[in-house]
């Protein structure tokens, strides 16, 4: 009887472990930062283990936050500089009011757009793709994928900037344009000539 109980407990334990591994495998998590699951402390541990240089800011006013500030990890973001990761310019890690990971934006070398696109295209479910957008406008080239409740968007807002966004679907609109500057469309206009009426 005792052996049967131990056997059942072991089987349940293994089943729970395999479910946890399967769940974490399904959830998108760049560099181990799982959207909607990773806590503020866990994210800082990832940054520390990878030797990233970090500075934390308020989301709203971009005011730098000190290491002893009581608002750390609540509606803030950490800007990390990734040493030894060629092609990554910086990583922005966002936290909600409960100190849980809300979004990650990875600023990439623009030359990596095509390579990253190929890397992610088979991995996640394609939602939308527009590669013929106009730079420096709100209609820039992008590719959007989805996995569970997380959206993954590869953006090219300008020829000199590529971003990769991981964000919960419910707050996608809050982060899609974060730090993106748009300019009104410029069309060179020429003076109309009278003879054009006869064309």
């Amino acid at each position: 009887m005792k052996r049967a109980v131990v056997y059942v407990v072991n089987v349940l334990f293994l089943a729970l472990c395999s479910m946890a591994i399967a769940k974490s495998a399904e959830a998108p998590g760049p560099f181990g930062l799982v959207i909607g699951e990773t806590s503020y402390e866990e994210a800082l541990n990832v940054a520390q283990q990878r030797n990233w240089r970090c500075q934390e800011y308020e989301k709203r006013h971009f005011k730098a936050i000190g290491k002893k500030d009581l608002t750390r990890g609540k509606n803030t973001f950490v800007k990390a500089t990734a040493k030894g990761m060629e092609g990554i310019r910086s990583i922005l890690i966002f936290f909600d009011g409960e100190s849980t990971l809300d979004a990650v934006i990875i600023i990439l070398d623009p030359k990596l757009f095509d390579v990253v696109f190929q890397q992610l295209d088979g991995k996640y479910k394609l939602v939308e793709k527009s590669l013929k957008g106009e730079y420096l406008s709100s209609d820039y080239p992008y590719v959007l994928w989805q996995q569970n409740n997380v959206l993954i968007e590869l953006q090219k807002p300008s020829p000199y900037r590529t971003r990769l966004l991981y964000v919960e679907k419910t707050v996608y609109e809050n982060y899609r344009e974060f730090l993106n500057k748009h300019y009104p469309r410029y069309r060179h206009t020429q003076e109309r000539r009278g003879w054009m009426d006869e064309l």
Side-chain angles (χ1 to χ4, degrees):
M1 180 72 173
K2 191 175 183 181
R3 281 185 181 174
V5 171
V6 171
Y7 178 76
V8 170
V9 169
N10 283 336
V11 168
L12 285 174
F13 177 74
L14 290 173
L16 288 173
C17 287
S18 64
M19 284 172 46
I21 291 168
K23 184 181 178 190
S24 64
E26 290 176 12
F31 312 116
L33 301 168
V34 182
I35 307 302
E37 293 180 22
T38 301
S39 70
Y40 174 73
E41 293 301 327
E42 290 168 336
L44 289 186
N45 285 339
V46 167
Q48 186 178 20
Q49 288 169 4
R50 292 178 172 266
N51 292 322
W52 292 348
R53 243 179 320 125
C54 297
Q55 175 60 55
E56 190 166 354
Y57 299 90
E58 289 180 355
K59 272 191 219 174
R60 190 166 285 190
H61 302 292
F62 305 119
K63 178 183 151 200
I65 294 175
K67 295 193 177 201
K68 294 184 179 178
D69 198 313
L70 297 175
T71 61
R72 288 178 65 215
K74 294 186 186 305
N75 291 316
T76 63
F77 72 96
V78 172
K79 181 179 181 184
T81 306
K83 290 182 180 178
M85 298 176 82
E86 188 182 343
I88 294 181
R89 295 184 173 173
S90 62
I91 301 170
L92 306 178
I93 307 164
F94 297 85
F95 303 96
D96 62 17
E98 269 88 61
S99 299
T100 304
L101 186 65
D102 223 8
V104 173
I105 298 177
I106 304 166
I107 313 294
L108 300 164
D109 187 313
K111 294 180 287 188
L112 296 178
F113 185 91
D114 292 331
V115 178
V116 172
F117 169 67
Q118 290 170 9
Q119 178 72 23
L120 298 177
D121 201 35
K123 190 172 182 181
Y124 302 117
K125 177 186 168 198
L126 183 66
V127 174
E128 201 172 334
K129 178 167 71 169
S130 173
L131 299 178
K132 296 190 183 210
E134 184 176 351
Y135 295 134
L136 302 173
S137 75
S138 57
D139 186 32
Y140 50 77
Y142 69 94
V143 185
L144 182 66
W145 297 274
Q146 183 173 350
Q147 179 88 353
N148 298 342
N149 66 334
V150 176
L151 293 175
I152 303 105
E153 185 173 58
L154 181 61
Q155 311 170 336
K156 195 158 188 181
S158 87
Y160 315 106
R161 201 154 163 254
T162 292
R163 300 171 10 135
L164 181 59
L165 167 65
Y166 290 79
V167 63
E168 287 196 62
K169 193 173 182 179
T170 54
V171 290
Y172 167 70
E173 292 299 328
N174 297 354
Y175 291 100
R176 184 174 197 267
E177 300 302 329
F178 191 83
L179 295 178
N180 271 344
K181 187 167 175 90
H182 303 299
Y183 298 92
R185 288 185 172 196
Y186 174 75
R187 297 282 183 266
H188 184 69
T189 54
Q190 293 180 334
E191 185 181 335
R192 194 179 161 283
R193 306 289 193 266
W195 53 262
M196 292 179 178
D197 289 335
E198 298 182 52
L199 293 177

